[in-house]
Amino acid sequence: MLHVTLRGLRGHLVRLLMTAVAVMLGVSFVTGTFVLRDSIDGVLDSLVTRSAQGTDVLVRTAEVEATSPVTAGADDAGRGVPLSLVDVLAAVPGAARVLPTLQGSVILAGADGAPVRNTGAPTLGFPFVADDPAFDLVDGRAPQGPAEVAVESSTLDSAGLAVGDRTRAVVGERARSVLITGEVEFGSLFGATAVLVDPAVARRTFAPDGVVASISVTAAPGADQATLAAAVAEVLPDGVEAVTGGTVVAETEDSVQTGLGFFTVFLLAFAGVALFVGSFIIVNTFSVLVAQRSTELALLRAIGATAAQVTRSVLAEAVVVGLVGSALGIALGYALAAGAMSVVGRVLGTGLDAELPLDPTTIGLSVVVGVVVTVVAALLPARRASR
């Protein structure tokens, strides 16, 4: 029966390969979905970890679920934390550095005089703090006063500007002539343009009402996050709480995983549709093959082959088709994921330095899905063949 199965594969190679293509398309969506999800998950985890660097304790309003010290916006101001707490927190034992979360709108004019913008991504303004781990100064110096700015590297490239150039910028609601004194690099801004200003200018512009979204506290060497959070909580007014940096990271990662869960379900729905449609192709193909081989199969039964042996012979062909289709689907799915990441990078106006992990779980799941769908689809024709 093994010889018969192999001969059947050789005799109907082209038709079976077409069936394998149907399996490949469905499996490629499954593989691509999980590879893309794992890749985006890695990028976001890296961003969350970097954004939380230097934040051992985060002071925020009690009703806020999670506030990343980098992504928190000035739009949260007004229901946030009083800026006056900065001096109070600086006096807490174990606190080495206290930074309010300041962020607002800064629109930079490029060399052509047009506003610099990467697709639909926002334009962000931050204060320049020399020891802030969120960014690195790669050229020039820190901005000083209202007429100087530092600009993120990809923003400089998009603007056609360089350190030492003069241009126009709208900081908050005021347009002014500015000198670019420095170039900085962030971990990832997902295409957003970033301009850094003097800390005093940031306070006046981004927190004019004296409140901010949150305040991050860095612990002195040897200080414990939980101990520092407890000490900070003692000096806070009602409606404001202190949480450890570990809590902020955990909350943000939970939020990321929830979002990725919806993303995964959305893409897997397409994979399900592709496999569902492919199953009809598989059923039709094996039905045709069984009809074409009715004389051959009847002869096998006549010379002593059992119904189970004939069924297993047809299903064995389905397993081979499923394995071939799954292997092709894994390769195609990986290529689709790589292409999707490249497109996302171009849309955001920045490259995403992300790995494309193809772990054993993804491979195993893709193979199982491909083989099981193929075998189930071929089951009815196989049983018909045994008769």
Side-chain angles (χ1 to χ4, degrees):
M1 292 306 298
L2 177 60
H3 175 73
V4 171
T5 300
L6 294 176
R7 183 175 178 181
L9 289 170
R10 290 194 301 269
H12 306 280
L13 183 61
V14 175
R15 189 180 296 274
L16 292 174
L17 283 178
M18 294 300 293
T19 306
V21 170
V23 179
M24 175 190 71
L25 294 177
V27 171
S28 68
F29 277 104
V30 175
T31 302
T33 295
F34 284 104
V35 171
L36 189 61
R37 182 191 186 282
D38 291 343
S39 181
I40 294 176
D41 189 21
V43 172
L44 294 179
D45 281 347
S46 176
L47 178 61
V48 169
T49 301
R50 176 153 185 167
S51 70
Q53 285 180 352
T55 302
D56 293 301
V57 175
L58 189 71
V59 177
R60 65 189 186 186
T61 49
E63 70 272 18
V64 176
E65 287 290 333
T67 303
S68 169
V70 164
T71 58
D75 291 340
D76 294 326
R79 63 178 183 84
V81 181
L83 196 55
S84 58
L85 281 178
V86 170
D87 294 333
V88 176
L89 297 174
V92 173
R97 187 187 65 173
V98 179
L99 287 178
T101 302
L102 295 168
Q103 177 181 314
S105 173
V106 176
I107 301 177
L108 188 73
D112 58 358
V116 181
R117 182 180 293 273
N118 288 332
T119 61
T123 56
L124 304 176
F126 303 98
F128 187 104
V129 181
D131 56 348
D132 192 335
F135 63 86
D136 298 313
L137 179 66
V138 296
D139 189 20
R141 60 173 177 83
Q144 298 175 357
E148 295 184 352
V149 297
V151 184
E152 186 266 338
S153 298
S154 64
T155 304
L156 275 181
D157 292 339
S158 300
L161 298 170
V163 174
D165 289 347
R166 286 192 173 275
T167 186
R168 299 282 293 175
V170 179
V171 182
E173 297 180 354
R174 291 189 57 188
R176 64 189 68 172
S177 176
V178 294
L179 172 67
I180 300 175
T181 64
E183 177 183 351
V184 300
E185 287 185 351
F186 282 81
S188 178
L189 289 171
F190 288 96
T193 58
V195 178
L196 286 77
V197 299
D198 182 272
V201 174
R203 287 199 181 198
R204 292 195 304 268
T205 305
F206 304 147
D209 50 359
V211 293
V212 292
S214 60
I215 299 176
S216 65
V217 182
T218 302
D224 178 68
Q225 283 192 356
T227 303
L228 180 58
V232 167
E234 294 179 358
V235 301
L236 297 179
D238 293 338
V240 181
E241 65 176 358
V243 294
T244 63
T247 299
V248 173
V249 170
E251 290 176 348
T252 307
E253 288 182 345
D254 286 344
S255 178
V256 168
Q257 292 304 318
T258 299
L260 286 177
F262 288 113
F263 173 76
T264 302
V265 171
F266 177 76
L267 291 182
L268 286 179
F270 287 96
V273 171
L275 288 169
F276 180 73
V277 174
S279 65
F280 286 99
I281 298 175
I282 297 168
V283 170
N284 290 335
T285 299
F286 278 94
S287 296
V288 170
L289 292 178
V290 168
Q292 290 177 339
R293 298 167 59 191
S294 57
T295 303
E296 172 192 336
L297 297 175
L299 179 59
L300 290 173
R301 292 298 308 277
I303 62 176
T306 65
Q309 286 179 314
V310 173
T311 300
R312 287 197 297 268
S313 174
V314 176
L315 291 181
E317 295 178 10
V319 169
V320 173
V321 171
L323 289 173
V324 173
S326 297
L328 295 174
I330 290 171
L332 178 60
Y334 189 86
L336 290 175
M341 289 299 290
S342 177
V343 170
V344 170
R346 286 199 298 271
V347 169
L348 293 177
T350 181
L352 293 179
D353 297 328
E355 295 182 357
L356 289 172
L358 185 60
D359 57 49
T361 301
T362 298
I363 295 175
L365 180 62
S366 299
V367 172
V368 168
V369 168
V371 172
V372 168
V373 168
T374 308
V375 170
V376 170
L379 187 59
L380 183 60
R383 294 188 62 183
R384 188 179 302 119
S386 68
R387 300 191 185 100

